[in-house]
Amino acid sequence: MLSKTRKTSRRSFVAAALLMAVAAPQLPAAAAAATPPAPAPSAAEVPAPATGVPLGTKTLHLVDTARQDPWKPSAGHRELMVSLWYPALPSKGRPAPYASKALSREVLGTEAMASVRTHAVDGARRAPGTRPLVVLSPGFGLSRLTLTALGEDLASRGYAVAAVDHTYEAPVEFPGGRIEKCLACDTKEYGAVVRNRAKDLEFVLDRLTGPGSELRVDPRRIGVAGHSIGGASAVEVMREDRRVGAAVNLDGNFFTDPPAGGLNRPVLLLGARRSTMAEPRENWEGTWKHLTGWKRWLEVPDGGHMTFTDVPWIIDRLGRPDTIPPEDVEGQLGSLAAARATAVTRGYVAAFFDRHLRGRPSPLLDRPSAAFPEVTFMR
């Protein structure tokens, strides 16, 4: 277990990202952490995806009538919000907003994220074809919004993508403007969080592979990726559900016992200098030996815990809130530029799923690359 994370206001999305994320290695502060916030440009946009393929997006409100909500039993059945991204037919519609004004106020304290432009048109018609499916799970205390850049990029490469909000583990907006706050953010029962998320993800898979799905997906080609505790949950759901053929853990500690008999399916561990710190290194080593299929352990020495999310480019475009103590910036953001953080995350996650869901080998996963000198091959 890592050292306890700092408590902070539940209102600030970026502050929560930097100060509350579970399994975030606590790195020493550096002089760069004292750098003042960059001025916000006049317009902000999600980093452009890999291709110019038209993209569509939809938001789903799902209710699991077979489960009571574990964090708020009085709420009744477990409710989830899910964002979909997919290759679409050309459309004259306007790209969907990154966030509503209400949700932006809840998670950031301002309406700034509502003006951020995305690249996917809300409700655009799907392009023909059956797609491999990738499901995304965010960090604890973090909105599914924090994986938008990754989701749009994967969709531009031909994947159907679903990002899941785990209700009461972050601020979540439901139809009609109802916003549920993070009721579980003070829990230390992280194993329970992982197991509950695995159930959420299995339910989403049931919905997206079943009759009436909004996506046309190949049920034999399913991957899951997640950040922080979402990464641990990605591996957990693969352990529990044979439909999941590959999993990515983006800098997340494991909080459940590794499978005694081994896990013989592909796993990518992509972290930020975990090998230099005893607790994070030992955590991954404890599970590593039980991963008996294809596996890689890659690190970004100049990265931070939030390198693998939208947080770096959000701060780059909107400025760093005063609520973030300078001493916490280095451990969470590192010194890697936001544009490179996005490129690294997108490049390696896509290469992994291309190999294991599409059978397209990539040299990125075989050896160090001059295109990504920020990445170190550990194992």
Side-chain angles (χ1 to χ4, degrees):
M1 178 70 69
L2 296 173
S3 57
K4 293 181 179 180
T5 52
R6 185 191 303 263
K7 292 183 179 179
T8 188
S9 166
R10 303 298 182 240
R11 193 183 79 164
S12 172
F13 155 70
V14 179
L18 295 174
L19 304 179
M20 288 172 48
V22 174
Q26 300 302 305
L27 306 180
T35 303
S42 57
E45 184 178 74
V46 176
T51 76
V53 169
L55 301 178
T57 185
K58 293 182 180 179
T59 301
L60 303 183
H61 174 205
L62 304 181
V63 180
D64 185 353
T65 58
R67 295 170 60 208
Q68 186 179 46
D69 192 279
W71 303 120
K72 189 178 180 181
S74 62
H77 296 140
R78 179 71 166 159
E79 293 182 272
L80 299 173
M81 294 300 295
V82 180
S83 291
L84 306 180
W85 295 282
Y86 49 89
L89 297 175
S91 170
K92 295 182 180 180
R94 300 183 64 180
Y98 187 82
S100 70
K101 291 182 178 180
L103 186 59
S104 182
R105 287 194 302 268
E106 178 65 29
V107 299
L108 187 63
T110 75
E111 296 181 355
M113 288 196 299
S115 66
V116 175
R117 295 192 296 262
T118 69
H119 300 276
V121 175
D122 190 21
R125 294 174 59 194
R126 295 192 312 261
T130 299
R131 311 284 175 180
L133 171 66
V134 175
V135 180
L136 305 176
S137 178
F140 196 56
L142 302 184
S143 169
R144 70 186 192 277
L145 297 177
T146 59
L147 298 175
T148 298
L150 177 58
E152 287 195 338
D153 184 73
L154 287 169
S156 82
R157 299 173 191 257
Y159 290 90
V161 185
V164 182
D165 255 340
H166 301 278
T167 311
Y168 303 118
E169 297 177 25
V172 180
E173 184 176 20
F174 287 90
R178 170 172 61 102
I179 294 179
E180 298 293 350
K181 299 180 184 295
C182 186
L183 300 183
C185 279
D186 289 328
T187 187
K188 299 298 185 287
E189 299 298 326
Y190 302 133
V193 174
V194 170
R195 288 186 287 272
N196 179 63
R197 284 186 173 217
K199 293 178 181 178
D200 286 348
L201 297 171
E202 287 188 84
F203 170 66
V204 171
L205 290 180
D206 291 343
R207 180 66 176 77
L208 296 180
T209 60
S213 173
E214 287 75 10
L215 299 173
R216 288 190 63 187
V217 302
D218 184 345
R220 300 166 299 176
R221 296 188 293 166
I222 294 175
V224 182
H227 168 246
S228 194
I229 208 166
S233 303
V235 177
E236 181 75 8
V237 73
M238 186 167 72
R239 168 185 176 177
E240 298 293 332
D241 193 324
R242 293 294 306 180
R243 292 175 296 182
V244 181
V248 178
N249 180 347
L250 300 170
D251 208 43
N253 262 21
F254 292 100
F255 292 104
T256 56
D257 293 333
L263 183 57
N264 190 25
R265 272 168 280 166
V267 176
L268 172 64
L269 304 181
L270 178 58
R273 43 183 154 172
R274 299 178 68 91
S275 64
T276 65
M277 297 168 286
E279 288 178 318
R281 182 183 65 249
E282 291 168 2
N283 180 273
W284 274 16
E285 286 175 343
T287 295
W288 179 262
K289 58 189 176 184
H290 294 278
L291 302 177
T292 56
W294 187 101
K295 57 186 177 181
R296 291 288 185 275
W297 177 339
L298 307 180
E299 291 197 356
V300 184
D302 293 331
H305 189 56
M306 294 298 150
T307 286
F308 312 102
T309 73
D310 288 0
V311 172
W313 67 259
I314 288 174
I315 291 177
D316 190 52
R317 287 158 174 75
L318 302 181
R320 195 174 74 226
D322 294 336
T323 53
I324 303 174
E327 65 269 18
D328 291 311
V329 174
E330 176 71 9
Q332 300 300 330
L333 295 177
S335 58
L336 187 64
R340 293 305 299 169
T342 300
V344 164
T345 304
R346 286 172 160 181
Y348 281 88
V349 172
F352 174 78
F353 285 129
D354 279 352
R355 170 174 287 203
H356 297 292
L357 299 185
R358 287 171 151 172
R360 301 176 182 175
S362 169
L364 276 185
L365 300 172
D366 296 329
R367 64 189 71 91
S369 170
F372 293 101
E374 302 90 348
V375 178
T376 299
F377 272 61
M378 303 303 300
R379 301 185 184 185

